[in-house]
Amino acid sequence: MKTSGQLPHEKQDRPGSEAVLAFPDETDLRVYGPAESQSAVFGDVCPLLTSLLDGYNVCVMAYGQTGSGKSYTMLGPHSDDGPVLPLDPQSDLGIIPRAAEELFRLISENPSRSPKVEVSIVEVYNNDIFDLLAKDTVAAVSGVKREVMTAKDGRTEVALLASEAVGSASKLMELVRGGLQLRAKHPTLVHADSSRSHLIITVTLTTAACSDSTADQACSATLPREQTEAGRAGRSRRTSQGASAPQPVPGDPAGRAEQVQARLQLVDLAGSECIGVSGVTGSALRETACINRSLAALADVLGALSEHRSHIPYRNSRLTHLLQDCLGGDAKLLVILCISPSQRHLAQTLQGLGFGIRARQVQRGPARKRPPSSQMEGKRRPD
């Protein structure tokens, strides 16, 4: 994969892989070699955070075989303490800590919209969903099991999911570090610290609504000039492709201001695995079977969407059911493929590229802003 923003003569190669970044919502495709920096990869994610502040749902998902560098790309180098902020300019930290820091930087540049940030963290392990922020465990060695459901407004939610309000990037990453301590892991012949579950971090941002012109001014105030111009060009391209941004819901009769609620989902998928190569047995063998089945279900959903089938098999796996809104809904979706250059892993590499082809073939509808849901408030656990 890649490393972070180090000087050219100090760069260290990523842990044995390339990352191919696909943009299903756009026409672009980016390929990053082993010597590319983490900051270069994040450069393609950064504009999506501006979209989040504008009220759009966003999902960034890393896919690839075990040991190909997905967690490195999303989180950074493995550490018992987890990612630590603030970022050092030459840090190898990944997308998630960089996104946390950039999100709160953007918020600090335009605090007049009264932003509220909440975080929830779940893992999908052996096709069950576990809440990694739940507080009703005594000496937790794993999260609390939850069920996915469809809310009255049509959105997919996790019942009784714990969420916590955060006021800084450091607090957000503190929660992430706590969740990572509970994530299921098991050593294999391919990866000594192999993740055995899909990790989904959801950041929910609620802000006072603003007009498109106000949003453009906010972008100009918070982004470097070149990023602002690139973002405007991207918005122009999406508009020409039929993308639209509906007006936010009006203020309620009590006179409260209009609000926009948007979700950022950061997904570190467990790696696809060849049993003959990884050498797993016993409980780890069952984990591998569940991982491969859920990833196959994800590929099936993308295939069904790309072929415009009348039935999309979201419920074949709890992973795809949970990600239904971002896969076939109104979110801006970025898929990152992490692939190994090793001849030994050729079959898994070709499978990963096939997944990327399916993702790029999906013709998704225009991204839309989503209003806040009063039903969601009733389902959240009290702090």
Side-chain angles (χ1 to χ4, degrees), residues 2-20:
K2 333 3 172 171
T3 67
S4 84
Q6 300 178 357
L7 296 176
H9 65 281
E10 295 176 321
K11 281 187 178 179
Q12 301 172 359
D13 285 354
R14 289 180 172 269
S17 72
E18 293 179 316
V20 181

Side-chain angles (χ1 to χ4, degrees), residues 58-382:
V58 172
C59 178
V60 180
M61 177 189 305
Y63 176 97
Q65 72 183 75
T66 183
S68 62
K70 299 177 303 302
S71 294
Y72 179 88
T73 298
M74 296 300 288
L75 292 161
H78 172 71
S79 168
D80 291 336
D81 296 328
V84 178
L85 294 178
L87 287 173
D88 181 273
Q90 297 182 358
S91 170
D92 284 349
L93 291 183
I95 288 172
I96 292 173
R98 290 174 185 273
E101 192 161 81
E102 178 65 9
L103 173 61
F104 280 96
R105 186 191 73 80
L106 292 172
I107 288 174
S108 70
E109 293 290 341
N110 189 22
S112 62
R113 296 181 63 187
S114 305
K116 178 183 179 182
V117 180
E118 295 176 285
V119 178
S120 61
I121 305 175
V122 302
E123 69 171 350
V124 182
Y125 173 69
N126 285 351
N127 203 36
D128 286 321
I129 297 173
F130 293 91
D131 184 349
L132 300 186
L133 292 186
K135 294 184 173 127
D136 52 354
T137 55
V138 180
V141 293
S142 62
V144 177
K145 189 174 177 180
R146 302 296 191 205
E147 293 295 333
V148 63
M149 58 175 287
T150 301
K152 292 180 180 179
D153 62 357
R155 286 190 284 188
T156 302
E157 302 290 347
V158 177
L160 301 176
L161 179 63
S163 65
E164 291 197 24
V166 295
S168 68
S170 296
K171 176 60 177 176
L172 192 158
M173 292 310 302
E174 180 182 326
L175 295 178
V176 171
R177 286 193 294 272
L180 290 174
Q181 294 296 320
L182 299 179
R183 188 181 187 185
K185 296 183 180 180
H186 191 281
T188 71
L189 295 180
V190 176
H191 198 312
D193 195 47
S194 177
S195 300
R196 313 307 289 171
S197 68
H198 310 295
L199 182 72
I200 303 173
I201 300 170
T202 301
V203 180
T204 302
L205 174 67
T206 305
T207 60
C210 65
S211 65
D212 289 342
S213 60
T214 305
D216 283 340
Q217 292 173 2
C219 292
S220 298
T222 57
L223 289 176
R225 181 170 177 269
E226 60 273 15
Q227 291 189 27
T228 303
E229 292 175 351
R232 285 175 177 160
R235 284 198 295 273
S236 299
R237 181 168 63 251
R238 286 192 291 275
T239 301
S240 66
Q241 295 172 350
S244 61
Q247 295 297 318
V249 293
D252 60 32
R256 289 191 288 251
E258 297 176 346
Q259 287 185 316
V260 171
Q261 188 178 80
R263 292 193 300 186
L264 169 64
Q265 289 187 297
L266 301 163
V267 184
D268 180 19
L269 295 170
S272 60
E273 198 168 291
C274 177
I275 295 173
V277 176
S278 64
V280 293
T281 59
S283 62
L285 182 60
R286 179 171 181 259
E287 292 170 346
T288 296
C290 288
I291 289 170
N292 288 343
R293 278 198 298 266
S294 61
L295 293 175
L298 180 57
D300 288 343
V301 164
L302 293 174
L305 288 169
S306 66
E307 295 170 8
H308 307 286
R309 297 180 203 162
S310 58
H311 172 68
I312 311 298
Y314 292 114
R315 294 176 184 251
N316 283 1
S317 166
R318 285 189 172 89
L319 173 67
T320 50
H321 192 187
L322 182 58
L323 296 178
Q324 179 174 341
D325 290 344
C326 65
L327 294 174
D330 55 12
K332 296 189 176 185
L333 173 63
L334 169 62
V335 176
I336 302 173
L337 297 182
C338 298
I339 59 175
S340 170
S342 171
Q343 183 72 23
R344 182 187 184 195
H345 302 304
L346 178 61
Q348 293 291 316
T349 294
L350 293 176
Q351 182 185 52
L353 292 174
F355 179 91
I357 290 172
R358 288 192 180 191
R360 284 180 58 78
Q361 288 175 341
V362 175
Q363 296 180 358
R364 294 156 49 79
R368 298 193 303 272
K369 296 179 181 179
R370 297 298 298 267
S373 169
S374 58
Q375 290 85 0
M376 286 178 59
E377 297 297 326
K379 289 197 280 288
R380 287 201 183 101
R381 299 178 61 86

